[in-house]
mmCIF file of all heavy atoms in Angstrom:
data_model
loop_
_atom_site.group_PDB
_atom_site.id
_atom_site.type_symbol
_atom_site.label_atom_id
_atom_site.label_comp_id
_atom_site.label_asym_id
_atom_site.label_seq_id
_atom_site.Cartn_x
_atom_site.Cartn_y
_atom_site.Cartn_z
ATOM 1 N N GLY D 1449 -20.492 -24.810 -6.362
ATOM 2 C CA GLY D 1449 -20.756 -23.867 -5.272
ATOM 3 C C GLY D 1449 -19.494 -23.584 -4.467
ATOM 4 O O GLY D 1449 -19.188 -22.427 -4.154
ATOM 5 N N ALA D 1450 -18.749 -24.646 -4.152
ATOM 6 C CA ALA D 1450 -17.514 -24.474 -3.376
ATOM 7 C C ALA D 1450 -16.530 -23.597 -4.139
ATOM 8 O O ALA D 1450 -15.891 -22.708 -3.566
ATOM 9 C CB ALA D 1450 -16.880 -25.828 -3.073
ATOM 10 N N ARG D 1451 -16.429 -23.836 -5.439
ATOM 11 C CA ARG D 1451 -15.507 -23.050 -6.278
ATOM 12 C C ARG D 1451 -15.907 -21.568 -6.250
ATOM 13 O O ARG D 1451 -15.031 -20.691 -6.157
ATOM 14 C CB ARG D 1451 -15.585 -23.623 -7.692
ATOM 15 C CG ARG D 1451 -14.711 -23.027 -8.712
ATOM 16 C CD ARG D 1451 -13.275 -23.453 -8.597
ATOM 17 N NE ARG D 1451 -12.522 -22.651 -9.569
ATOM 18 C CZ ARG D 1451 -12.266 -21.357 -9.427
ATOM 19 N NH1 ARG D 1451 -12.630 -20.721 -8.337
ATOM 20 N NH2 ARG D 1451 -11.611 -20.699 -10.361
ATOM 21 N N MET D 1452 -17.221 -21.291 -6.282
ATOM 22 C CA MET D 1452 -17.685 -19.898 -6.283
ATOM 23 C C MET D 1452 -17.394 -19.223 -4.943
ATOM 24 O O MET D 1452 -16.911 -18.095 -4.894
ATOM 25 C CB MET D 1452 -19.178 -19.832 -6.617
ATOM 26 C CG MET D 1452 -19.491 -20.285 -8.052
ATOM 27 S SD MET D 1452 -21.174 -19.841 -8.618
ATOM 28 C CE MET D 1452 -22.192 -20.792 -7.478
ATOM 29 N N ILE D 1453 -17.676 -19.945 -3.843
ATOM 30 C CA ILE D 1453 -17.439 -19.359 -2.517
ATOM 31 C C ILE D 1453 -15.937 -19.137 -2.300
ATOM 32 O O ILE D 1453 -15.516 -18.110 -1.753
ATOM 33 C CB ILE D 1453 -18.025 -20.263 -1.401
ATOM 34 C CG1 ILE D 1453 -19.544 -20.415 -1.569
ATOM 35 C CG2 ILE D 1453 -17.687 -19.704 -0.023
ATOM 36 C CD1 ILE D 1453 -20.333 -19.137 -1.432
ATOM 37 N N GLU D 1454 -15.127 -20.104 -2.749
ATOM 38 C CA GLU D 1454 -13.674 -19.915 -2.602
ATOM 39 C C GLU D 1454 -13.190 -18.718 -3.417
ATOM 40 O O GLU D 1454 -12.284 -17.997 -2.985
ATOM 41 C CB GLU D 1454 -12.938 -21.202 -3.002
ATOM 42 C CG GLU D 1454 -13.004 -22.222 -1.875
ATOM 43 C CD GLU D 1454 -12.808 -23.656 -2.341
ATOM 44 O OE1 GLU D 1454 -12.493 -23.870 -3.537
ATOM 45 O OE2 GLU D 1454 -12.986 -24.570 -1.501
ATOM 46 N N PHE D 1455 -13.787 -18.513 -4.557
ATOM 47 C CA PHE D 1455 -13.449 -17.328 -5.369
ATOM 48 C C PHE D 1455 -13.782 -16.046 -4.593
ATOM 49 O O PHE D 1455 -12.988 -15.110 -4.544
ATOM 50 C CB PHE D 1455 -14.226 -17.374 -6.692
ATOM 51 C CG PHE D 1455 -13.924 -16.226 -7.618
ATOM 52 C CD1 PHE D 1455 -12.980 -16.348 -8.628
ATOM 53 C CD2 PHE D 1455 -14.592 -15.013 -7.482
ATOM 54 C CE1 PHE D 1455 -12.698 -15.282 -9.480
ATOM 55 C CE2 PHE D 1455 -14.305 -13.944 -8.331
ATOM 56 C CZ PHE D 1455 -13.361 -14.081 -9.325
ATOM 57 N N ALA D 1456 -14.973 -16.029 -3.995
ATOM 58 C CA ALA D 1456 -15.404 -14.844 -3.237
ATOM 59 C C ALA D 1456 -14.457 -14.589 -2.065
ATOM 60 O O ALA D 1456 -14.067 -13.439 -1.797
ATOM 61 C CB ALA D 1456 -16.838 -15.028 -2.730
ATOM 62 N N ILE D 1457 -14.052 -15.655 -1.363
ATOM 63 C CA ILE D 1457 -13.136 -15.512 -0.230
ATOM 64 C C ILE D 1457 -11.794 -14.947 -0.701
ATOM 65 O O ILE D 1457 -11.218 -14.060 -0.063
ATOM 66 C CB ILE D 1457 -12.957 -16.874 0.498
ATOM 67 C CG1 ILE D 1457 -14.272 -17.270 1.181
ATOM 68 C CG2 ILE D 1457 -11.811 -16.815 1.503
ATOM 69 C CD1 ILE D 1457 -14.315 -18.711 1.681
ATOM 70 N N ALA D 1458 -11.312 -15.436 -1.834
ATOM 71 C CA ALA D 1458 -10.043 -14.928 -2.378
ATOM 72 C C ALA D 1458 -10.178 -13.446 -2.739
ATOM 73 O O ALA D 1458 -9.266 -12.649 -2.490
ATOM 74 C CB ALA D 1458 -9.629 -15.752 -3.595
ATOM 75 N N GLU D 1459 -11.316 -13.073 -3.309
ATOM 76 C CA GLU D 1459 -11.580 -11.664 -3.618
ATOM 77 C C GLU D 1459 -11.535 -10.818 -2.337
ATOM 78 O O GLU D 1459 -10.962 -9.736 -2.309
ATOM 79 C CB GLU D 1459 -12.983 -11.509 -4.225
ATOM 80 C CG GLU D 1459 -13.069 -11.809 -5.701
ATOM 81 C CD GLU D 1459 -12.473 -10.676 -6.513
ATOM 82 O OE1 GLU D 1459 -12.969 -9.533 -6.447
ATOM 83 O OE2 GLU D 1459 -11.470 -10.964 -7.200
ATOM 84 N N ALA D 1460 -12.196 -11.330 -1.287
ATOM 85 C CA ALA D 1460 -12.247 -10.616 -0.013
ATOM 86 C C ALA D 1460 -10.827 -10.413 0.526
ATOM 87 O O ALA D 1460 -10.449 -9.314 0.942
ATOM 88 C CB ALA D 1460 -13.103 -11.386 0.990
ATOM 89 N N LYS D 1461 -10.039 -11.481 0.505
ATOM 90 C CA LYS D 1461 -8.652 -11.381 0.999
ATOM 91 C C LYS D 1461 -7.871 -10.364 0.181
ATOM 92 O O LYS D 1461 -7.125 -9.554 0.731
ATOM 93 C CB LYS D 1461 -7.969 -12.751 0.931
ATOM 94 C CG LYS D 1461 -8.438 -13.699 2.019
ATOM 95 C CD LYS D 1461 -7.703 -15.035 1.931
ATOM 96 C CE LYS D 1461 -8.139 -15.957 3.061
ATOM 97 N NZ LYS D 1461 -7.639 -17.345 2.872
ATOM 98 N N GLY D 1462 -8.059 -10.388 -1.123
ATOM 99 C CA GLY D 1462 -7.353 -9.464 -2.009
ATOM 100 C C GLY D 1462 -7.683 -8.006 -1.701
ATOM 101 O O GLY D 1462 -6.871 -7.114 -1.932
ATOM 102 N N ARG D 1463 -8.890 -7.786 -1.176
ATOM 103 C CA ARG D 1463 -9.284 -6.413 -0.858
ATOM 104 C C ARG D 1463 -9.009 -6.052 0.601
ATOM 105 O O ARG D 1463 -9.447 -5.000 1.078
ATOM 106 C CB ARG D 1463 -10.796 -6.248 -1.075
ATOM 107 C CG ARG D 1463 -11.245 -6.410 -2.505
ATOM 108 C CD ARG D 1463 -12.661 -5.889 -2.602
ATOM 109 N NE ARG D 1463 -13.371 -6.410 -3.746
ATOM 110 C CZ ARG D 1463 -14.508 -5.905 -4.189
ATOM 111 N NH1 ARG D 1463 -15.040 -4.872 -3.577
ATOM 112 N NH2 ARG D 1463 -15.124 -6.414 -5.223
ATOM 113 N N GLY D 1464 -8.379 -6.960 1.342
ATOM 114 C CA GLY D 1464 -8.077 -6.677 2.742
ATOM 115 C C GLY D 1464 -9.275 -6.789 3.662
ATOM 116 O O GLY D 1464 -9.264 -6.252 4.770
#
Side-chain angles (χ1 to χ4, degrees):
Chain D
R1451 182 76 187 72
M1452 294 194 296
I1453 299 297
E1454 281 157 7
F1455 182 96
I1457 292 168
E1459 278 285 299
K1461 285 181 178 170
R1463 295 194 201 194

